Amino acid sequence: MGVLVGIEGKLEGELYPLYDGDNTLGRDPTQCEVVISELDPRISRKHAKIIHAEGLFAIKPENEENPTLVNDEKLQDMAELSDGATIYMGRSEFRFRSV
């Protein structure tokens, strides 16, 4: 299991658990397993996807208009996540923790 921790912006202190399989992140509860608060309107309804399989985590952008960055690099395709990675979505910053 993993977790996203809001560390900057309006979502600071918020915790978002991640589970085995696909974890779509965004504001739309009908399309996302991990619903991120509407406090940051720059996070898309369906923003990114974190996949957890065989002990590994990877992140993939789901929206080209609102980019997803990992450790200050804009994602073009899927990238592996390591413990402590910083993820930027909208105006919010998250820390990825593998637990």
Side-chain angles (χ1 to χ4, degrees):
M1 190 170 106
V3 67
L4 286 182
V5 180
I7 58 171
E8 188 71 35
K10 293 182 179 182
L11 301 175
E12 184 175 351
E14 295 291 321
L15 300 175
Y16 299 94
L18 304 168
Y19 302 99
D20 286 336
D22 291 353
N23 295 271
T24 303
L25 310 165
R27 293 183 293 115
D28 187 343
T30 65
Q31 298 185 57
C32 300
E33 289 81 24
V34 180
V35 179
I36 299 186
S37 170
E38 292 191 19
L39 290 175
D40 186 345
R42 292 210 174 183
I43 293 177
S44 304
R45 282 180 239 133
K46 189 174 176 185
H47 199 98
K49 183 179 289 187
I50 295 179
I51 299 113
H52 180 225
E54 299 178 20
L56 298 175
F57 287 88
I59 186 168
K60 176 183 171 193
E62 293 285 306
N63 186 306
E64 292 182 19
E65 291 179 28
N66 296 323
T68 301
L69 289 84
V70 175
N71 298 329
D72 292 321
E73 292 186 33
K74 183 178 176 182
L75 288 180
Q76 300 296 326
D77 200 9
M78 190 175 300
E80 188 173 337
L81 281 175
S82 58
D83 188 52
T86 303
I87 300 169
Y88 303 90
M89 294 187 294
R91 291 186 174 157
S92 297
E93 185 177 332
F94 302 87
R95 180 90 58 227
F96 168 73
R97 291 292 181 202
S98 177
V99 291

